[in-house]
């Protein structure tokens, strides 16, 4: 399996300013020409920039040091040194940068538009040449300022996928099958647990006016919030979704306690996951005895959470899938109407989700997912 790149530690260094020059004019027939040392150039800055065609932090996997160019030293004849080139670090939307030592949040790249830049470290200023220090009492200054040093920081870069709906469930509950059915993503599907090893994204084309993004993460197991299984590492990727879609395998005898167990893991993980609106799909009602268990699961959930919609489905036989799709679309639209940042954005008459409002989705690509597995 290729490791999904959603975290990286990098070192960033801004450029040093160039030194000022000590120089004097020397020409034939012009004695005592005076100082003409130029200033040093400014050091390059460290800049982060959002690139919406990026899906992961894979470009930071083997590139850990980003150093801006130093400014050039000043020269004679009042020639200034060249400014150092900036170093620009592209990141996908949903990226956060934190101080590696303290964990303090420095910047969250959630609302930035394409190519919008965040200047993190400024380069050092160039030193003054001796031309600046001449005076009536000091007509031949033999000193200049050195360039200011750049800054250096170690950063923790983390990615949280931005989507409208996040799929939550135990392994083999049918999340990948639902993603395959609803969207143009083609996740790995097999009749055994943990076929999903990295997060997958899919675009749900509702109609000619609406698109939604659905995120699938590896199955959660009991104890995931304490580090068990694969789910704990990827739970953060559903922390920014507008809503959650719980998948419960009703062919399993433990389905009656599955919903409570999933909520417990999300609550222990934190991040406000249990406060998100959610829909529950009781899957695999095509299996013998599963439909009766699904009805019992629905009754228990209605008793504990009356506001949570519960729909009994069979992804394999596509039973009640239309009802599930309508419930998802209605919930996301309701949430978008209820908050300003998520309100519908008009783009040539097309209404899209808050996530897609600033993102260009290449519909020619059959697979829309941020990671890869093999």
């Amino acid at each position: 399996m290729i490791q999904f790149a959603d975290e990286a530690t990098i070192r960033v260094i801004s450029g040093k300013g160039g030194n000022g020059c000590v120089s004097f004019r020397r020409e034939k027939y012009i004695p005592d020409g005076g100082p003409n040392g130029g200033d040093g150039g400014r050091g390059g800055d460290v800049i982060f920039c959002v690139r919406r065609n990026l899906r992961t932090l894979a470009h930071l996997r083997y590139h850990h040091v980003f150093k801006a160019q130093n400014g050039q030293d000043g020269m004679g004849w009042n020639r200034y040194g060249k400014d150092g080139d900036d170093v620009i670090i592209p990141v996908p939307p949903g990226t956060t940068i934190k101080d590696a030592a303290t964990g303090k949040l420095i910047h969250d790249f959630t609302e930035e538009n394409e190519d919008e830049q965040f200047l993190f470290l400024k380069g050092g200023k160039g030193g003054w040449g001796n031309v600046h220090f001449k005076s009536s009492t000091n007509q031949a200054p033999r000193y200049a300022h050195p360039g200011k040093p750049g800054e250096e920081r170690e950063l923790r870069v983390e990615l949280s996928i931005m989507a409208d709906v996040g799929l939550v469930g135990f392994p083999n509950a049918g999340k990948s099958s639902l993603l395959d059915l609803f969207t143009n993503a083609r996740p790995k599907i097999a009749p055994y647990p943990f076929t999903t090893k990295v997060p997958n994204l899919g675009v749900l084309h509702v109609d000619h006016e609406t698109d939604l993004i659905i995120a699938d993460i590896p199955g959660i197991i009991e104890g995931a919030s304490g580090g068990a299984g694969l789910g704990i590492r990827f739970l953060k990727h559903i922390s920014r979704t507008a809503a959650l879609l719980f998948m419960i395998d009703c062919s399993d005898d433990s389905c009656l306690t599955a919903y409570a167990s999933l909520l417990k893991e999300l609550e222990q993980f934190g991040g406000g996951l249990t406060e998100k609106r959610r829909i529950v799909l009781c899957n695999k009602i095509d299996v013998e005895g599963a439909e009766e268990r699904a009805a019992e699961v629905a009754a228990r959930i209605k008793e504990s959470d009356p506001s949570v919609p519960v729909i009994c489905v069979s992804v394999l036989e596509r039973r009640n899938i239309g009802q599930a799709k309508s419930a998802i679309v209605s919930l996301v639209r309701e949430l978008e109407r209820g908050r300003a940042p998520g309100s519908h954005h008009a783009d040539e008459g097309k209404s899209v989700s808050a996530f897609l409002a600033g993102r260009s989705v290449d519909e020619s690509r059959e697979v829309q997912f941020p990671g890869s597995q093999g």
Side-chain angles (χ1 to χ4, degrees):
M1 181 186 76
I2 300 176
Q3 186 178 10
F4 178 67
D6 59 350
E7 297 177 351
T9 300
I10 62 174
R11 189 157 53 98
V12 294
I13 309 168
S14 60
K16 174 187 176 297
N19 298 318
C21 176
V22 176
S23 175
F24 296 93
R25 184 179 179 185
R26 293 288 184 266
E27 287 186 84
K28 192 175 183 180
Y29 307 122
I30 305 179
D32 304 326
N36 68 352
D39 298 345
R42 178 188 58 82
D45 301 331
V46 175
I47 297 173
F48 287 87
C49 181
V50 169
R51 292 282 189 271
R52 296 189 178 272
N53 62 325
L54 293 177
R55 300 293 192 272
T56 72
L57 299 176
H59 60 295
L60 305 181
R61 190 192 301 271
Y62 304 112
H63 189 177
H64 301 296
V65 180
F66 294 84
K67 187 179 186 306
Q69 191 177 40
N70 293 335
Q72 188 178 10
D73 293 341
M75 295 166 282
W77 296 98
N78 296 319
R79 289 177 295 175
Y80 285 20
K82 181 182 176 182
D83 291 342
D85 292 334
D86 301 331
V87 60
I88 298 179
I89 307 171
V91 294
T95 299
T96 58
I97 56 174
K98 302 177 181 179
D99 185 275
T102 65
K104 181 181 178 181
L105 178 65
I106 296 172
H107 195 77
D108 187 342
F109 296 92
T110 303
E111 302 297 334
E112 277 80 1
N113 297 318
E114 177 76 12
D115 294 329
E116 189 170 340
Q117 296 184 342
F118 168 63
L119 195 161
F120 176 52
L121 295 181
K122 290 187 68 68
K125 293 182 179 180
W128 279 4
N130 68 337
V131 70
H132 290 280
F133 303 105
K134 65 182 178 181
S135 67
S136 59
T137 58
N138 187 10
Q139 297 183 1
R142 298 184 179 275
Y143 56 87
H145 281 171
K148 297 292 185 181
E151 298 181 72
E152 181 175 346
R153 295 281 295 275
E154 189 169 11
L155 302 176
R156 181 74 173 172
V157 186
E158 298 180 354
L159 171 65
S160 295
I161 292 173
M162 298 171 62
D164 297 295
V165 178
L167 296 178
V168 179
F170 289 121
N172 212 31
K175 303 189 304 300
S176 296
S177 298
L178 185 72
L179 188 71
D180 178 74
L181 179 62
F182 273 176
T183 75
N184 55 354
R186 296 296 175 262
K188 182 178 180 180
I189 300 173
Y192 53 81
F194 295 113
T195 53
T196 299
K197 297 182 176 66
V198 299
N200 290 313
L201 282 183
V203 182
L204 171 59
H205 298 284
V206 180
D207 51 40
H208 67 283
E209 295 183 345
T210 307
D211 290 335
L212 302 179
I213 294 291
I214 298 179
D216 177 25
I217 64 171
I220 299 171
I221 64 174
E222 291 194 35
S225 57
L230 295 173
I232 177 62
R233 184 182 169 199
F234 300 113
L235 278 174
K236 64 183 178 184
H237 291 300
I238 57 174
S239 63
R240 298 192 181 190
T241 57
L244 299 178
L245 183 63
F246 284 63
M247 292 286 291
I248 296 178
D249 178 7
C250 290
S251 68
D252 193 304
D253 293 335
S254 63
C255 64
L256 297 179
T257 59
Y259 179 70
S261 298
L262 289 171
L263 280 181
K264 179 182 177 182
E265 295 301 331
L266 297 188
E267 182 178 10
Q268 291 179 349
F269 179 79
L273 291 178
T274 56
E275 300 172 6
K276 293 183 179 294
R277 296 282 297 277
R278 51 188 177 267
I279 297 172
V280 179
L281 298 186
C282 296
N283 190 26
K284 301 187 182 182
I285 59 174
D286 54 286
V287 178
E288 183 179 357
E291 191 165 7
E292 291 75 15
R293 284 193 288 267
E296 187 175 351
V297 170
R300 290 193 178 191
I301 295 175
K302 284 296 183 182
E303 183 178 349
S304 60
D305 292 327
S307 61
V308 176
V310 182
I311 304 171
C312 300
V313 301
S314 170
V315 176
L316 179 65
E317 296 184 352
R318 303 194 177 188
R319 290 167 58 181
N320 299 332
I321 291 299
Q323 182 183 351
K325 181 177 179 180
S326 298
I328 294 169
V329 174
S330 298
L331 177 57
V332 173
R333 283 175 170 170
E334 179 184 345
L335 292 172
E336 288 184 340
R337 286 193 297 268
R339 68 181 194 273
S343 58
H344 288 272
H345 297 259
D347 182 12
E348 298 181 357
K350 183 175 181 179
S351 172
V352 298
S353 71
F355 173 79
L356 285 177
R359 186 179 194 127
S360 174
V361 177
D362 185 359
E363 297 185 6
S364 65
R365 294 183 60 189
E366 185 174 357
V367 182
Q368 294 283 347
F369 61 97
S372 59
Q373 56 186 17

